[in-house]
Amino acid sequence: METAAAKGLILVIEDEPSIADLLRLYLSRAGFGVHVEHDGELGLAQVRALRPALIILDVGLPGADGIEVCRRLRAQDDWTPVIFVTARDDEVDRIVGLELGADDYVTKPFSPRELVARVGTVLRRTNGVAGSAVLETGAIRLEPASRRVLVDGREVVLTATEFDLLAALMRRPGMVFTREQLLGSVWGTAAYGGSRTVDVHVAQLRAKLGDGSPIRTHRGVGYSSAAS
Ligand code: CA
């Protein structure tokens, strides 16, 4: 059920066959490869298997719902761009409020042409961010491939955990992460260590990065990386 992926593969997780078919048609006409899943659990498995360029994710799904699918991806530090498709306006508030790192959303009924345009916009905006592209914020340069961090051109030696924590924050400049989200994405489980672990590592990271540290504290919420 896949078509050639000239402009990248889009994974559509949508249980309504008529909408899934329409998306397949418009996306493949626009030059994208398309793979469709009708169930949240199966969709999640295909994200890992196919490494799509972007996911179009319905909120109301059998298996795991769209919000759960996105939460589990982000908890594994998978930042594949997601465009949510929702049936109701009140779901939009939930998607935005949960800070799932949704890149965009559309409300049913939507124009397939409009959704394809948004896919192009999100891909342009997020290109390289989810992968191994070098991240730069102010004086800080983070190189995922070599796992090096430079401050004003000088290398700073970080532990693996400190590096992963900084990368998680810098991949989404300006986005505020709760301690629980950071535990999930950096340490892999929210049950391990507790939120104090995050504070301790942030403090160590700041000490190493000095005045150039991009990490901002949001009292009562969590941490973010400065946008520039
Ligand atoms: Ca649905």
Side-chain angles (χ1 to χ4, degrees):
M1 294 292 272
E2 274 162 66
T3 48
K7 289 168 74 177
L9 180 71
I10 309 298
L11 175 61
V12 175
I13 312 179
E14 165 63 76
D15 61 323
E16 279 177 62
S18 59
I19 294 179
D21 287 348
L22 204 59
L23 288 175
R24 184 200 298 282
L25 179 70
Y26 276 78
L27 287 165
S28 49
R29 262 193 207 155
F32 293 103
V34 185
H35 180 95
V36 175
E37 287 294 340
H38 304 291
D39 171 287
E41 290 288 351
L42 296 176
L44 201 52
Q46 290 302 337
V47 178
R48 292 172 195 132
L50 300 173
R51 312 294 310 160
L54 183 145
I55 305 162
I56 296 178
L57 184 55
D58 186 26
V59 174
L61 286 172
D65 76 11
I67 287 173
E68 177 64 17
V69 168
C70 192
R71 198 200 306 273
R72 278 158 63 181
L73 283 177
R74 298 322 190 209
Q76 292 155 9
D77 207 19
D78 185 321
W79 293 96
T80 306
V82 168
I83 298 180
F84 273 106
V85 175
T86 81
R88 304 194 315 269
D89 281 334
D90 58 340
E91 285 178 344
V92 172
D93 296 337
R94 242 180 108 208
I95 293 164
V96 175
L98 286 171
E99 291 169 347
L100 292 164
D103 296 275
D104 204 350
Y105 56 83
V106 293
T107 310
K108 292 177 184 175
F110 58 88
S111 144
R113 210 178 297 274
E114 167 71 15
L115 182 55
V116 169
R118 294 212 195 174
V119 167
T121 304
V122 168
L123 284 176
R124 272 191 299 281
R125 198 175 69 216
T126 59
N127 187 29
V129 172
S132 59
V134 168
L135 303 172
E136 284 186 287
T137 305
I140 310 289
R141 177 183 168 89
L142 183 143
E143 302 175 353
S146 59
R147 292 184 67 87
R148 293 202 318 158
V149 171
L150 306 171
V151 182
D152 283 324
R154 186 177 47 89
E155 185 171 357
V156 173
V157 179
L158 301 181
T159 65
T161 302
E162 288 163 356
F163 181 91
D164 291 341
L165 178 60
L166 184 61
L169 291 166
M170 285 181 68
R171 273 194 198 107
R172 290 283 161 144
M175 179 168 159
V176 182
F177 291 88
T178 65
R179 290 170 175 81
E180 289 70 27
Q181 285 173 323
L182 291 168
L183 275 173
S185 65
V186 176
W187 283 264
T189 165
Y192 175 93
S195 60
R196 177 92 185 107
T197 305
V198 178
D199 297 336
V200 168
H201 282 82
V202 165
Q204 287 167 359
L205 203 43
R206 279 179 166 151
K208 288 187 180 181
L209 299 177
D211 294 340
S213 170
I215 304 173
R216 304 281 175 266
T217 301
H218 299 262
R219 263 176 221 296
V221 189
Y223 298 101
S224 71
S225 170
S228 62

